[in-house]
Amino acid sequence: SSGINAESQSEIILFVKSVEMFTLVLVLATCCLVSSDPVLDLIPSLYPTNTDTPTWTSSHWMTGGARTLDSSSSSTDPQDSSGLSQRRGSQDAAIVISDGVMQMGGTQVRLYLNPWIKEDGTPWTAAEDEERRSSGAKPTRFYLNTEITVYYKRSGTDGKDGGGLVVGCRTSPNGHSAPESNYLHTHTYYARFRHDGLVDFVKEMTHPTAEYYWNGQLHRHGTLFPSKKLPSDKWLGMKFVVYNIDSTRVKLELYIDETSGGEVDRISSLSNWELVGEMVDDGTYFVVETKGKVDGISAITTGGGVVFIRNTEVVKAEYKYLVVKEIVPPV
């Protein structure tokens, strides 16, 4: 017979399977050579990375087992090798990290990525902070022109209307902390996907007074969801991009991923991301009331290099795939 016998067929099948397995191993090995960071491998970028500043990712949320950061334990994450992670906020603020997800709860709860860390871990005194600012020195992970990506899941109807997925950047390490002299150095831009379904950009020069802006108007929100509420129990992605155009103008861009559901096999496509809004703070119309003699008109072109996530009056709010990277501005 000219046909292939059963023994030969088995040998061919085994050979094909061996080739397929070798190909899979080769692909995985190639991915590992490109990047050893599982989160960074998943998240697509809008802008090229400035490799002079190390990118921060939440990949360490996948390791080290479950851990809690609260007032009775540590305010820092021992698994974060960069040392940047800090839990801050009210006395009841708590962060639980497990299986790649960060859960936040409390009246006022924050995760700061603070590059201004003293070697001994103690807080900066007022005098040390003033010396730090006047010296002009900057840490390696000073984040200025940034592309910040994060996924968020709200639990039920939990949380204050003005809370939600709120990301701040260019803030100083102590601009929201007592004593009041620190408030003169707050200088923060925010993007907000609010629990009430609204969206906006916010500028805060001196804590706690801020102003919000959308679509060419001060003191105006945009409508993100027709239902007027942020969806519950659904993963939503945010990209908040901030970069200097020149020495006086700053560009803010905000994107949403409503498509992937935060699923690992779907989030790598750049086509998931839809532009929600953008603006240029050129120092003429994004004006905010300030304390003392602090300029509330000019754009925040330098800031303090700190990025943070905040929420308000939540029992359980979940976050994953957080990436903070310095970009090469498209100017």
Side-chain angles (χ1 to χ4, degrees):
S1 172
S2 60
I4 300 175
N5 60 37
E7 184 177 351
S8 297
Q9 285 181 333
S10 297
E11 291 175 351
I12 292 172
I13 291 171
L14 287 173
F15 175 76
V16 170
K17 287 184 176 180
S18 298
V19 171
E20 289 176 345
M21 181 59 69
F22 175 77
T23 303
L24 177 59
V25 171
L26 183 62
V27 169
L28 291 175
T30 302
C31 288
C32 291
L33 287 172
V34 173
S35 171
S36 59
D37 190 306
V39 172
L40 195 58
D41 287 342
L42 290 171
I43 303 300
S45 297
L46 296 170
Y47 293 104
T49 303
N50 181 344
T51 56
D52 291 338
T53 303
T55 296
W56 188 97
T57 83
S58 61
S59 59
H60 58 278
W61 293 356
M62 301 176 180
T63 62
R67 52 200 182 272
T68 299
L69 312 179
D70 59 20
S71 58
S72 64
S73 61
S74 174
S75 63
T76 61
D77 184 356
Q79 294 298 317
D80 183 0
S81 60
S82 75
L84 269 64
S85 300
Q86 294 182 324
R87 174 203 55 83
R88 295 194 188 181
S90 54
Q91 183 67 19
D92 63 347
I95 290 175
V96 179
I97 298 171
S98 180
D99 296 327
V101 175
M102 177 183 71
Q103 177 182 313
M104 297 175 73
T107 307
Q108 298 286 347
V109 58
R110 317 280 187 263
L111 173 71
Y112 268 66
L113 301 180
N114 178 16
W116 301 96
I117 305 296
K118 292 176 64 176
E119 290 186 4
D120 61 3
T122 59
W124 296 83
T125 65
E128 289 172 333
D129 219 19
E130 184 59 39
E131 183 180 355
R132 171 188 65 78
R133 285 191 293 267
S134 61
S135 71
K138 295 178 181 179
T140 302
R141 292 178 183 263
F142 186 97
Y143 292 112
L144 179 65
N145 300 305
T146 49
E147 180 177 327
I148 304 164
T149 308
V150 65
Y151 282 79
Y152 176 72
K153 184 168 70 172
R154 183 186 189 187
S155 297
T157 57
D158 191 21
K160 189 175 181 179
D161 278 356
L165 180 47
V166 181
V167 177
C169 67
R170 297 198 173 187
T171 196
S172 71
N174 298 311
H176 295 88
S177 304
E180 286 198 12
S181 58
N182 284 337
Y183 297 167
L184 302 180
H185 308 282
T186 304
H187 41 245
T188 306
Y189 285 123
Y190 299 90
R192 300 192 295 181
F193 290 169
R194 295 166 43 117
H195 281 144
D196 56 12
L198 301 179
V199 60
D200 55 25
F201 295 116
V202 178
K203 183 178 181 179
E204 182 184 25
M205 295 303 296
T206 58
H207 185 64
T209 305
E211 184 58 87
Y212 54 93
Y213 178 96
W214 195 254
N215 198 25
Q217 293 187 25
L218 275 177
H219 216 66
R220 175 181 177 177
H221 306 294
T223 300
L224 187 60
F225 298 101
S227 66
K228 299 294 180 70
K229 293 292 182 182
L230 193 75
S232 298
D233 305 311
K234 175 183 178 181
W235 285 106
L236 297 171
M238 173 195 282
K239 277 186 180 289
F240 182 30
V241 179
V242 180
Y243 58 85
N244 288 350
I245 297 174
D246 51 35
S247 61
T248 62
R249 297 180 298 162
V250 177
K251 180 75 180 294
L252 282 67
E253 301 173 1
L254 185 57
Y255 300 80
I256 191 170
D257 173 9
E258 293 185 83
T259 304
S260 73
E263 296 179 10
V264 69
D265 59 341
R266 300 176 63 194
I267 64 173
S268 296
S269 175
L270 197 57
S271 63
N272 292 331
W273 293 98
E274 177 185 354
L275 180 65
V276 178
E278 58 186 342
M279 66 162 293
V280 174
D281 184 4
D282 62 2
T284 61
Y285 56 88
F286 201 175
V287 180
V288 59
E289 183 181 339
T290 65
K291 299 177 183 293
K293 298 181 180 180
V294 175
D295 179 4
I297 301 175
S298 299
I300 307 169
T301 54
T302 302
V306 177
V307 171
F308 68 101
I309 292 174
R310 59 172 293 173
N311 217 327
T312 306
E313 297 177 11
V314 290
V315 176
K316 179 183 177 182
E318 294 179 291
Y319 305 79
K320 65 180 180 179
Y321 303 140
L322 173 58
V323 175
V324 179
K325 74 167 194 170
E326 188 77 5
I327 64 170
V328 179
V331 293

